[in-house]
Amino acid sequence: MRIGELAARAGTTTRTLRYYESRGLLAARRTDNGYRSYDEADLRLLQQIRTLQDFGFDLEETRPFVDCLRAGHPAGDTCPASLAVYRRKLAELDALIDELSAVRAELARAEVMAAAEIPGGPEPRCELSPDETGGPRSEGMTR
C-alpha cells in the first residue's frame, strides 16, 4: 500500500508517517517509480506506536516495542527491552499517583479548615481528629 492508504488505515497523517520514518520507527520500501510502499506489518507497527502513545508513552519509549515486532515476535511487549519500558512507566505512574494523592489530601484538609473558619459558611464535610503523628486527619480519607 502507498503512504496515503497506510495513513488512512492507521488513522494518522502522511506527515506523521514521514516523521516516524525519519526517526527510524517505520521503514518504507520504494517502488520502481519511487513511491513509498508499505504492508500489513507496517500497519501493525503503527497500531502499536499509536496505542502506546495513547497510554502516555513518548515516541522514543515505543522503540523497543517496534523492534520486538520487527524481530518477528507475536506482540511488541514480549521482549525484555519492552518489559523494562513497562516497568519504568509503571514506576513513573506510581510516583505521580502518590504525588497527586498527597496534594489531594492537603487540599481536602485546607478546605475543611477554611470552611470551619467562615462564619455562616458551609459545614465541614468531615470531622477532624488527630492522627498517629498528632496532626489533623480527615476521617474517611486516605493519606
Side-chain angles (χ1 to χ4, degrees), residues 6-24:
L6 179 63
R9 287 184 64 192
T12 191
T13 65
T14 57
R15 182 177 180 189
T16 298
L17 298 184
R18 286 188 202 99
Y19 178 70
Y20 290 171
E21 186 179 336
S22 74
R23 303 285 301 168

Side-chain angles (χ1 to χ4, degrees), residues 42-53:
D42 296 312
L43 178 59
R44 191 163 170 226
L45 292 177
L46 286 171
Q47 290 167 334
Q48 178 77 79
I49 292 168
R50 300 235 7 197
T51 297
L52 291 168
Q53 287 190 305

Side-chain angles (χ1 to χ4, degrees), residues 16 24 45 52 86 98 112 133 141:
T16 298
L45 292 177
L52 291 168
Y86 273 163
D98 290 345
V112 167
T133 62
M141 301 182 101

Side-chain angles (χ1 to χ4, degrees), residues 21 24 60 64-65 67 69 73 77 81 84-85 88-89 99 102-103 109-111 115 117-118 124-125 129 133 137 139:
E21 186 179 336
E60 196 55 37
F65 298 86
D67 292 344
L69 285 171
H73 294 273
D77 60 2
V85 173
R88 280 194 306 271
K89 185 57 82 175
E99 183 179 330
V103 168
R109 278 193 285 279
E111 183 263 342
E117 297 284 322
I118 299 172
R125 294 186 315 180
S129 64
T133 62
R137 184 173 94 77
E139 293 296 318

